[in-house]
């Protein structure tokens, strides 16, 4: 399967030494001949939105989106009717939108955690960089077959995708994250 907008990049077990992407799942929000952009779905941080933006009265968890521009906040959601200027990624998933509208909606509790996810930073690849990483077996591509990706248990997301792929991936799915503790 080729990477396309809306697909999931699943880190191969072979990239155990890559601290940025070890055991991650990235939702691709853009994929062109020039670049790819996505957000890590299973790296929650110890911050809430209110910790980062005190004028927003909301305790939604913030995730590490990737190693690029980690001082910027991004969001992916499924409520484009509430957020003008949203960009459709795929199948009812949208990226960005009018931030002033978002702040008002969050402060008035009009958006639920199952509608949106926030990220510090993003994952990005330059021209042919992702193709090279795929050829080096750093990633495999999977479908976003979740009914609601914002409600998925992010703690088992990588493991479950490996189990779904089957074969030798089942062994890696159950391997400890730190082999030194084994």
């Amino acid at each position: 399967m080729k990477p396309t907008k809306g697909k999931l990049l699943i880190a191969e077990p072979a990239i155990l030494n890559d601290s940025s992407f070890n055991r991650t799942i990235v939702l691709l929000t853009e994929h062109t001949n020039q670049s790819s952009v996505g957000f890590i779905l299973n790296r929650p941080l110890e911050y809430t939105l209110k910790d980062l933006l005190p004028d927003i009265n909301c305790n939604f968890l913030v995730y590490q989106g990737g190693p690029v521009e980690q001082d910027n906040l991004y969001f992916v959601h499924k409520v484009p009717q509430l957020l003008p200027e949203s960009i459709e990624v795929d199948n009812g998933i949208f990226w960005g939108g009018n931030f002033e509208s978002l702040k008002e909606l969050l402060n008035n509790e009009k958006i639920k955690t199952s509608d949106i996810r926030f990220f510090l930073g993003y994952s990005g690849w330059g021209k042919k960089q992702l193709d090279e990483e795929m050829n080096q077996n750093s990633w495999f591509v999977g479908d976003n077959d979740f009914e609601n990706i914002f409600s998925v248990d992010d703690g088992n997301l990588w493991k479950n995708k490996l189990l779904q792929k089957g074969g030798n991936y089942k062994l890696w799915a159950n391997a400890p994250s730190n082999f030194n503790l084994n």
Side-chain angles (χ1 to χ4, degrees):
M1 188 180 303
K2 296 279 185 193
T4 58
K5 192 165 83 164
K7 297 286 187 197
L8 301 176
L9 287 179
I10 297 110
E12 287 276 2
I15 65 170
L16 289 172
N17 293 326
D18 184 337
S19 62
S20 293
F21 293 112
N22 180 24
R23 294 180 179 238
T24 61
I25 303 249
V26 176
L27 172 65
L28 276 178
T29 54
E30 177 181 293
H31 182 70
T32 68
N33 290 332
Q34 300 304 309
S35 65
S36 298
V37 174
F39 298 95
I40 299 172
L41 294 171
N42 59 332
R43 283 264 171 93
L45 297 170
E46 294 181 9
Y47 307 111
T48 65
L49 199 53
K50 188 174 184 170
D51 293 333
L52 302 175
L53 301 167
D55 60 329
I56 297 179
N57 188 24
C58 178
N59 287 319
F60 290 7
L61 201 55
V62 177
Y63 288 73
Q64 178 190 1
V68 183
E69 293 187 17
Q70 291 186 339
D71 54 345
N72 287 336
L73 184 70
Y74 301 91
F75 56 97
V76 177
H77 61 89
K78 64 174 194 167
V79 289
Q81 70 281 9
L82 299 176
L83 292 169
E85 303 161 29
S86 299
I87 299 167
E88 186 167 19
V89 173
D90 187 47
N91 248 358
I93 296 177
F94 295 80
W95 176 16
N98 184 286
F99 196 73
E100 291 306 313
S101 297
L102 176 61
K103 283 173 41 175
E104 184 178 325
L105 291 164
L106 290 169
N107 282 329
N108 291 312
E109 299 179 4
K110 301 288 185 190
I111 293 183
K112 303 176 294 215
T113 57
S114 59
D115 293 332
I116 196 165
R117 188 160 289 182
F118 292 92
F119 304 93
L120 278 179
Y122 68 90
S123 300
W125 294 266
K127 186 175 184 175
K128 298 191 181 199
Q129 184 181 4
L130 183 55
D131 291 335
E132 289 171 15
E133 289 183 18
M134 302 256 329
N135 289 335
Q136 295 169 352
N137 294 322
S138 295
W139 304 98
F140 68 88
V141 178
D143 286 323
N144 176 10
D145 52 7
F146 299 104
E147 186 175 315
N148 182 353
I149 197 141
F150 306 116
S151 297
V152 174
D153 172 14
D154 52 68
N156 288 316
L157 189 58
W158 185 78
K159 175 182 178 174
N160 290 339
K161 278 296 183 182
L162 263 60
L163 290 171
Q164 187 180 35
K165 188 154 173 87
N168 287 336
Y169 288 96
K170 286 183 179 181
L171 295 171
W172 286 104
N174 292 307
S177 58
N178 185 343
F179 289 108
N180 294 327
L181 298 177
N182 195 9

